[in-house]
Amino acid sequence: MISAELLKQLLSLAAALFLLTAFALLAQRHMHALLRWFAVQGVLLAATTALVAYAANVHELYISAFLALVLKGLLVPWLLWRIVIRLGAHREVESLVNIFATMLIGAALVLFAYYVSLPIQELSFVVTRNIIAIALACVLIGMLIMITRRKAITQVVGFLALENALFFTATAATYGMPLVVEIGVAFDVLIAALIFGVFFFQIRSTFDSLDLKHLEVER
Amino acid sequence: MKLWAYNILQAALLIGLSPLAAAVLRKLKALLQNRRGPGPLQTYRDLVKLFNKEPVLPDRASWIFRLAPYVVFAVTALSAAIVPVILVHTPLSAVADVITLVGLLAMARFFTALAAMDLGTAFGGMGASREMTFAALAEPAMLMSVFILSLAAQSTNLSTVTDTMLNADLGLRPSLAFALTAMALVAIAETGRIPVDNPATHLELTMVHEAMVLEYSGRYLALIEWANQIKLMLFATLLINLFVPWGIAMEATAVNMAFAASAWLLKLLALFVALTLMETWMAKMRIFRVPEYLGLAFLLAILGMLTHFILEVVI
């Protein structure tokens, strides 16, 4: 039996690590490292969810944790990995803004998320209420990854990181969404990853590159 | 009065053992590379040799060039006296906090850079400009990571921080892990170890510190090298006593202090083994990546602070 105080500290630690993985995704230059960190984030998400399930004694969350582990920790990263290898797109990730500046923006986003979530924290009574700010920050960082990257694959990783963070937010704020919704979303994400894969090949065969600036109208 | 004696004693211990530490580090690295390596006393012999040699000064050297090694050594030795080594509460660490420590190290760096630019050689200027660029990033990261500890301990005094880390029931704090990582990254950069600078080679186009002290010889070089060895030891001790202070003596009794000294030496050895493994395993990074590396340290420190406020402060 773990004491309540230790559980709370473990949850904080998990949240901090989750934030760290979000920043790691933001900072990565290499495609393979990016996917590896993405898988780590998925596994961490599953671990945190299981921890919350244990702390709050909500049994449904174990199923969500299992789904997160299988889908977000293993299946989706593996799918993306295979796509990257088949596309041969394992070169450096090109970002629009320089990486250090992006990371500073990320830190500012954490501060913003903290400021925004203060009133929510005061209203909430769940064990995980102090994690909400971190979860929100991770959502914003996911968006930042999508905005600052050029290649289709990195944008998709950003999108999936955003989805991870939303899942995390739901777990932190209200002990997860209803199970039906969660299963639905999980399979949506899986299908989305598959469809993204098809898109990648289409984009590449049309433009000979995965750089999304080719999708814009040339002036 | 007795405490002052202990304070000077522990500083002398740190300063006296630092060439040995450098030698041990070199030996460990040699062993990992299947070489025999020089013995543990080689660094002392080198220092003695340099002290006995006649220094050769360049024509254009001004008094700054001659003064700088003394200032660097004195300031580094003084900062070694501030850090708690085997005794937590010492008189000198009571009057000088961590900001003073960073300031002292900055002063040493300032004088090294000044002396490097004094001659007007290309290498010196290049080294100085690089060193100052990195310093502008390393110092805030260092301060921020110490401030995380200060937030937990409610004080910037090194003794108080060590005391808190040792005795207060802090539990599992993610911000401290961030602080440790950030400070370790800064320490590697500040002491010029491998991913940032290579201490083993001269005349490489990427060198930073070695480029600045290229013109020194004789006793001036000896002082600068010794100061560098002290700096390595200083950062190692700082990391050990701020994050894993267990074993350090709270009271100045003989048994406690002997135990603290042996614990300190063991932890130092463990840290050096880890450092050697890392140096053998990693390659030196490109010099233009260093600002990014230090930026990472700064960012980790900021994240540590944010997590402290978000996760650990009870509203």
Side-chain angles (χ1 to χ4, degrees), chain B residues 48 71 81 106-107 140 158 162 181 186 212 232 240:
Chain B
V48 170
V71 175
M107 189 168 152
L158 282 170
T162 308
T181 324
V186 173
M212 289 197 295
L232 175 68
I240 288 172

Side-chain angles (χ1 to χ4, degrees), chain B residues 35 58 61 111 158 173 207 216 298:
Chain B
R35 293 187 286 120
F111 268 92
L158 282 170
R173 290 199 174 202
M207 62 190 176
Y216 277 114
F298 183 62

Side-chain angles (χ1 to χ4, degrees), chain A residues 6 9-10 12-13 15-17 19-20 23 29 92 99-100 103-104 107 110-111 114 118 121-122 130-131 133-134, chain B residues 137 170-175 177-178 289 291-292 294-296 298-300 302-303 306-307 309-312 314-315:
Chain A
L6 184 65
Q9 285 171 357
L10 277 175
S12 303
L13 190 68
L17 284 176
L19 186 66
L20 191 66
F23 270 94
R29 283 168 182 276
E92 293 203 347
I99 290 202
F100 183 55
M103 299 219 280
L104 280 186
V110 179
L111 204 60
Y114 174 58
L118 270 179
Q121 282 186 41
E122 276 165 28
N130 54 352
I131 302 181
I134 297 237
Chain B
L137 292 161
L170 289 176
L172 210 59
R173 290 199 174 202
S175 69
F178 280 113
R289 284 279 165 86
E292 223 165 73
L294 288 170
L296 176 72
F298 183 62
L299 187 89
L300 281 173
I302 289 187
L303 281 186
L306 287 173
T307 47
F309 284 114
I310 296 176
L311 294 173
E312 288 155 16
V314 184
I315 307 165

Side-chain angles (χ1 to χ4, degrees), chain A:
Chain A
M1 208 51 216
I2 317 173
S3 74
E5 189 52 36
L6 184 65
L7 256 177
K8 216 175 155 195
Q9 285 171 357
L10 277 175
L11 273 171
S12 303
L13 190 68
L17 284 176
F18 195 80
L19 186 66
L20 191 66
T21 57
F23 270 94
L25 286 178
L26 198 58
Q28 272 323 312
R29 283 168 182 276
H30 293 278
M31 210 57 227
H32 284 182
L34 190 72
L35 288 180
R36 221 173 284 136
W37 276 108
F38 178 64
V40 169
Q41 193 179 44
V43 172
L44 207 59
L45 182 66
T48 320
T49 315
L51 213 59
V52 174
Y54 181 80
N57 213 5
V58 184
H59 293 297
E60 281 175 10
L61 271 180
Y62 284 118
I63 303 174
S64 313
F66 179 71
L67 271 179
L69 179 68
V70 172
L71 284 177
K72 287 162 187 162
L74 300 170
L75 203 55
V76 174
W78 179 72
L79 271 174
L80 284 173
W81 186 273
R82 264 192 42 187
I83 292 172
V84 164
I85 286 178
R86 280 185 56 196
L87 284 172
H90 42 69
R91 261 159 286 140
E92 293 203 347
V93 174
E94 290 152 30
S95 63
L96 287 173
V97 194
N98 103 28
I99 290 202
F100 183 55
T102 333
M103 299 219 280
L104 280 186
I105 299 174
L109 284 179
V110 179
L111 204 60
F112 176 71
Y114 174 58
Y115 178 71
V116 168
S117 68
L118 270 179
I120 310 175
Q121 282 186 41
E122 276 165 28
L123 289 176
S124 174
F125 292 102
V126 289
V127 191
T128 49
R129 64 179 174 280
N130 54 352
I131 302 181
I132 297 173
I134 297 237
L136 198 60
C138 291
V139 174
L140 293 174
I141 290 172
M143 286 186 193
L144 188 63
I145 298 174
M146 286 184 73
I147 294 169
T148 53
R149 297 299 150 92
R150 229 177 241 166
K151 292 267 171 68
I153 300 178
T154 24
Q155 291 202 354
V156 167
V157 171
F159 172 75
L160 292 170
L162 176 74
E163 209 279 328
N164 275 354
L166 277 175
F167 188 98
F168 191 70
T169 317
T171 316
T174 58
Y175 295 150
M177 295 172 267
L179 194 59
V180 185
V181 179
E182 216 142 82
I183 292 175
V185 171
F187 282 102
D188 269 358
V189 168
L190 184 62
I191 299 300
L194 286 172
I195 294 175
F196 285 141
V198 176
F199 267 136
F200 291 151
F201 286 103
Q202 285 296 333
I203 291 172
R204 200 180 62 154
S205 65
T206 315
F207 298 111
D208 265 347
S209 140
L210 281 169
D211 199 327
L212 287 183
K213 76 169 184 246
H214 296 296
L215 291 180
E216 292 163 14
V217 182
E218 303 227 358
R219 277 175 207 150

Side-chain angles (χ1 to χ4, degrees), chain B residues 222-306:
Chain B
L223 281 174
I224 283 185
E225 298 236 309
W226 199 359
N228 269 341
Q229 289 157 357
I230 296 171
K231 203 172 168 189
L232 175 68
M233 193 79 148
L234 186 75
F235 271 99
T237 309
L238 207 57
L239 276 176
I240 288 172
N241 281 348
L242 287 184
F243 292 96
V244 277
W246 299 288
I248 196 168
M250 289 297 290
E251 284 125 30
T253 58
V255 183
N256 273 358
M257 279 176 39
F259 180 71
S262 48
W264 173 60
L265 288 175
L266 272 180
K267 282 185 274 191
L268 266 182
L269 191 66
L271 189 68
F272 283 163
V273 169
L275 183 64
T276 339
L277 281 175
M278 211 187 68
E279 286 205 326
T280 315
W281 171 58
M282 283 175 112
K284 192 182 162 315
M285 70 178 123
R286 273 164 51 202
I287 197 125
F288 300 112
R289 284 279 165 86
V290 175
E292 223 165 73
Y293 164 94
L294 288 170
L296 176 72
F298 183 62
L299 187 89
L300 281 173
I302 289 187
L303 281 186
M305 257 190 182
L306 287 173

